[in-house]
Amino acid sequence: MKADVVIGAGYGDEGKGLMTDFLVEQADEPTMVIRFNGGAQAGHTVVRDDCRHVFGHFGSGSLQGAPTYLSKFFVVNPLLYAKEQTELVNKGVAIPEVFIEQDALLTTPYDMLMNQILETARDANRHGSCGVGFGETIERFVRQPESAITAGLLGNYAEVKRRALMARDLVLARLELQLGKQQLNKASEQLMNLLHSEDLLTNFLHNADYVYSFARVCNGWLTSAAAQKMHWVFEGAQGLKLDMDYGQFPYVTRSNTGLQNVAHLLQGIEREVNVHYMTRAYKTRHGAGPLAHEGKPLPKVVDLTNFTNAFQGSLRFAPLDVDKLLSDITCDVLNHGRGLNAKHNLCVTCMDQLNWASVDIVLNNKLITVQHSRMLAELNRMPALNLLCVSNGPAAKDLSYV
């Protein structure tokens, strides 16, 4: 059996949902999508048969009926899980089959509120967070492991409630320590009132039960006989530039976004692996942090997913730095790809959003204007990294091999 891996090579928003949907469509065997990092902050857009959905929790093969496996590296947000499943049902999509590893962490609304309060208080020094509590969930687990709510606890109402209240108390203590009472009350009075809401706790417990009633909590699912018979598509979240060990701190995600988690999950499992590094034909960043050569968006860019919001602001744009992109991919392969029986590919999306004949790129630290063919040739100059395909639209049908 084979395994495909989809990894963003930038700051996210490179077309990982599009590629995952395409790989599920192309597979000859029943396919499972494996979420190997991140959480509900992902926004992977899939357009198929007049249905458009932005996936957060569920794998981007769900419109084709592919089941999803949420690994131990994925953080589940019960509130947003329930919301997304309802959205899918309202679009006429069958409820996706989901397996959740028992060690996967759950985000509480207190983590979400802490995330939003801290990011609001940072003002001009924001880190670029989505405000859904992903990083705060992991931070709380690291600081106080006994407060962790894992998928394995779902169904144990009393224990989930006890740990949720513990999470609330820890959040309150940490907020007061970091911000001080005066600043906390002045900047975030409404959010602070929410922290003490009984309805907030009740709704969290209800959503946790909702997840438990639909998803299957498992232990070591990838080694099961059923999983071994399936083709796997590992769907990454965010991009290499946001990796917590590789990106520019503090403008990173609390996650390893490259091959590291994939290699861990494949330990002891023999699979022929094809890795697909994704990039737009230009560079984007949604949220705070450096963006070299930042400029105005291309005239033809239409992005219905990355809307302006209170925490990330507007989507930002820059020309593609070919040398840096290839260097980032090479570092990921060398640092984390050893031991994998893998081929490495590069896939370029949003070609249809370029100007008709030319595109600005950065080459040898210089901004130059070249024909599309020259950009693709530069991206294909490394023998160990094959330029596999390009996309000229938002759907799998718009993707073609080169």
Side-chain angles (χ1 to χ4, degrees):
M1 283 290 182
K2 297 182 179 180
D4 286 294
V5 183
V6 181
I7 293 174
Y11 294 101
D13 307 306
E14 308 96 341
K16 295 182 290 295
L18 163 67
M19 192 65 193
T20 299
D21 182 55
F22 175 80
L23 292 169
V24 171
E25 178 184 82
Q26 295 294 306
D28 295 326
E29 306 89 10
T31 302
M32 167 174 280
V33 175
I34 301 168
R35 296 294 302 276
F36 65 85
N37 78 304
Q41 81 274 42
H44 296 175
T45 305
V46 174
V47 178
R48 174 168 289 275
D49 299 330
D50 298 323
C51 179
R52 179 183 182 275
H53 184 75
V54 181
F55 286 97
H57 273 89
F58 302 96
S60 292
S62 296
L63 298 187
Q64 299 184 66
T68 298
Y69 171 71
L70 304 180
S71 73
K72 66 179 182 179
F73 298 112
F74 187 90
V75 175
V76 180
N77 187 315
L79 169 66
L80 299 181
Y81 185 108
K83 179 182 178 182
E84 184 178 358
Q85 181 165 299
T86 301
E87 289 176 355
L88 285 168
V89 171
N90 289 340
K91 293 176 181 178
V93 179
I95 295 176
E97 185 179 18
V98 178
F99 300 83
I100 307 178
E101 189 60 36
Q102 64 178 7
D103 293 334
L105 295 173
L106 269 63
T107 293
T108 70
Y110 309 114
D111 301 306
M112 296 176 70
L113 286 170
M114 178 165 173
N115 185 181
Q116 295 170 21
I117 291 170
L118 287 178
E119 192 73 343
T120 299
R122 290 180 185 122
D123 197 17
N125 297 313
R126 294 187 178 191
H127 295 171
S129 170
C130 295
V132 299
F134 170 77
E136 302 303 338
T137 303
I138 298 174
E139 180 71 15
R140 177 169 53 81
F141 168 69
V142 171
R143 289 171 176 261
Q144 299 282 4
E146 64 274 17
S147 74
I149 304 173
T150 61
L153 292 174
L154 290 172
N156 187 339
Y157 184 91
E159 184 61 15
V160 171
K161 181 178 180 179
R162 187 184 75 82
R163 296 196 183 201
L165 290 171
M166 187 187 307
R168 183 193 66 185
D169 293 342
L170 289 169
V171 164
L172 285 166
R174 187 173 162 212
L175 281 171
E176 185 173 328
L177 178 65
Q178 289 195 225
L179 299 180
K181 287 185 178 181
Q182 185 175 0
Q183 183 182 3
L184 195 57
N185 292 334
K186 182 179 180 181
S188 308
E189 183 177 355
Q190 186 176 2
L191 291 174
M192 285 298 294
N193 290 337
L194 274 175
L195 279 169
H196 295 280
S197 168
E198 284 297 321
D199 288 343
L200 194 70
L201 176 62
T202 300
N203 288 337
F204 169 70
L205 295 173
H206 171 75
N207 288 322
D209 282 343
Y210 181 96
V211 174
Y212 184 64
S213 65
F214 286 103
R216 175 178 168 183
V217 179
C218 54
N219 181 17
W221 171 249
L222 292 185
T223 60
S224 69
Q228 289 293 319
K229 295 177 182 178
M230 304 184 80
H231 171 233
W232 297 345
V233 178
F234 288 86
E235 181 180 3
Q238 291 77 55
L240 296 178
K241 304 287 284 184
L242 295 178
D243 186 281
M244 65 179 182
D245 297 322
Y246 187 78
Q248 187 169 344
F249 186 84
Y251 309 106
V252 296
T253 187
R254 192 67 184 263
S255 176
N256 291 118
T257 59
L259 280 171
Q260 184 170 340
N261 293 350
V262 176
H264 179 89
L265 292 170
L266 285 175
Q267 279 185 342
I269 299 174
E270 291 294 328
R271 290 258 169 169
E272 181 182 330
V273 179
N274 281 297
V275 185
H276 308 274
Y277 288 98
M278 307 299 299
T279 180
R280 291 197 193 197
Y282 49 91
K283 190 162 50 177
T284 64
R285 182 165 197 162
H286 201 191
L291 183 63
H293 304 282
E294 183 172 2
K296 295 180 180 179
L298 296 165
K300 295 170 65 178
V301 170
V302 176
D303 194 307
L304 301 177
T305 301
N306 293 285
F307 54 87
T308 302
N309 62 64
F311 295 102
Q312 292 180 293
S314 301
L315 189 65
R316 301 156 60 197
F317 300 86
L320 192 64
D321 188 328
V322 172
D323 300 316
K324 187 58 178 169
L325 175 74
L326 297 179
S327 174
D328 291 338
I329 294 173
T330 300
C331 285
D332 187 51
V333 173
L334 292 177
N335 290 336
H336 307 300
R338 298 182 186 276
L340 290 179
N341 177 23
K343 295 180 180 178
H344 304 96
N345 306 295
L346 183 62
C347 308
V348 185
T349 62
C350 301
M351 290 292 294
D352 56 309
Q353 297 180 354
L354 298 179
N355 293 326
W356 180 75
S358 64
V359 58
D360 289 340
I361 63 172
V362 178
L363 202 62
N364 299 320
N365 294 318
K366 294 181 179 180
L367 181 63
I368 61 174
T369 301
V370 299
Q371 293 183 332
H372 297 178
S373 58
R374 168 77 187 280
M375 178 186 72
L376 295 177
E378 292 291 347
L379 290 170
N380 199 33
R381 71 189 189 214
M382 298 177 62
L385 183 65
N386 175 48
L387 178 62
L388 182 68
C389 57
V390 298
S391 173
N392 282 284
K397 64 181 177 61
D398 302 312
L399 198 150
S400 58
Y401 292 106
V402 296

